[in-house]
């Protein structure tokens, strides 16, 4: 089975466009391809009760939960607003992602 082609990658700057954290910006920490979800730094924070063990002390730990990929959009590198993603082939044959809003290419 082939993996899904997602337009958002680890390390991208995204903005939340729906849900309780709408309007917040952050960097993508991980992409969960099987469920079409992403984990964004500082967004969708939850509290988990953790038992003490070899990993460290116990207590209430706050961490990021995943968001559905449809609830986030890439941030336009030029304007800083939400944008859709397009693709363009450069002269050297390399395929790059571009912002539909401004036409700028995304780094990475």
């Amino acid at each position: 089975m082939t993996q899904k082609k997602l337009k958002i990658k680890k390390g991208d700057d995204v903005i939340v466009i729906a849900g309780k954290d709408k309007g917040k910006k952050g960097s993508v920490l991980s992409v969960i391809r099987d469920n079409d979800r992403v984990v964004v730094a500082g967004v969708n924070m939850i509290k988990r009760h953790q038992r003490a063990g070899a990993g460290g002390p116990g207590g209430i730990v706050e961490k990021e939960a995943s968001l559905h990929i449809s609830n986030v959009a890439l941030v336009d590198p030029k304007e800083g607003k939400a944008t859709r993603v397009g693709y363009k082939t450069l002269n050297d044959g390399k395929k790059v992602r571009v912002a539909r809003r401004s036409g700028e290419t995304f780094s990475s």
Side-chain angles (χ1 to χ4, degrees):
M1 188 167 136
T2 60
Q3 283 195 340
K4 296 175 189 175
K5 175 68 175 161
L6 301 177
K7 297 179 179 186
I8 296 177
K9 298 181 179 181
K10 181 179 175 179
D12 286 342
D13 291 325
V14 295
I15 186 167
V16 180
I17 58 174
K20 66 174 186 172
D21 291 321
K22 182 177 179 177
K24 288 188 180 179
K25 293 182 181 179
S27 180
V28 175
L29 299 175
S30 67
V31 178
I32 306 165
R33 289 179 184 272
D34 298 335
N35 301 335
D36 293 338
R37 298 180 83 79
V38 291
V39 178
V40 182
V43 176
N44 200 21
M45 299 300 286
I46 58 169
K47 291 185 177 179
R48 285 284 173 253
H49 293 72
Q50 191 169 1
R51 183 179 295 130
I60 300 173
V61 179
E62 200 168 9
K63 64 178 190 174
E64 295 93 354
S66 65
L67 293 163
H68 196 269
I69 205 160
S70 66
N71 294 332
V72 297
L74 279 167
V75 174
D76 191 332
K78 192 174 187 180
E79 298 180 19
K81 296 181 180 177
T83 183
R84 293 181 311 191
V85 183
Y87 291 94
K88 184 167 66 172
T89 306
L90 300 177
N91 292 335
D92 62 354
K94 188 174 180 184
K95 185 177 175 183
V96 293
R97 296 179 300 156
V98 294
R100 289 282 189 193
R101 181 181 281 268
S102 66
E104 293 282 314
T105 59
F106 291 104
S107 58
S108 74

